[in-house]
Amino acid sequence: MTISKENLETIIKVDNKVKNILMQGGSEIMLLTELHADMPDIKKVIEDPSPEKDKYCRQYDGFYKYMKILENLAGGIANLKL
């Protein structure tokens, strides 16, 4: 199974945005703020069952960095003691 064209386009778009924000000295918080509107499309990428996602994470390091930020954020929320 291959990744959908739409999901690949999302990976590339996120990769470019992340790289541009970081090149301008942006922070992780800025990344979360600036990419908030893209979350519905990012969710589709995350839910895509294609094993090719790993290949694209290695190829598009800006996308990978953003996925790690989301993973760390989710882990921190999961560990909150309410």
Side-chain angles (χ1 to χ4, degrees):
M1 172 178 267
T2 61
I3 198 163
S4 73
K5 179 183 177 204
E6 293 81 15
N7 286 344
L8 180 55
E9 289 170 355
T10 297
I11 290 170
I12 294 168
K13 178 174 71 171
V14 169
D15 181 69
N16 288 329
K17 284 185 176 185
V18 168
K19 288 177 180 175
N20 286 333
I21 291 167
L22 293 177
M23 280 195 301
Q24 296 174 13
S27 65
E28 290 184 358
I29 292 174
M30 185 176 277
L31 289 173
L32 292 169
T33 302
E34 293 294 320
L35 290 160
H36 179 265
D38 296 306
M39 284 308 297
D41 292 332
I42 292 168
K43 184 175 185 287
K44 290 177 188 173
V45 173
I46 292 168
E47 293 174 343
D48 189 314
S50 172
E52 287 187 331
K53 283 189 293 188
D54 290 339
K55 175 179 95 173
Y56 291 115
C57 277
R58 287 188 301 274
Q59 184 176 351
Y60 297 99
D61 58 326
F63 178 77
Y64 176 78
K65 178 166 184 60
Y66 189 66
M67 291 298 100
K68 291 304 285 183
I69 291 168
L70 293 179
E71 180 180 52
N72 292 337
L73 181 62
I77 291 170
N79 290 327
L80 285 175
K81 305 232 189 270
L82 301 175

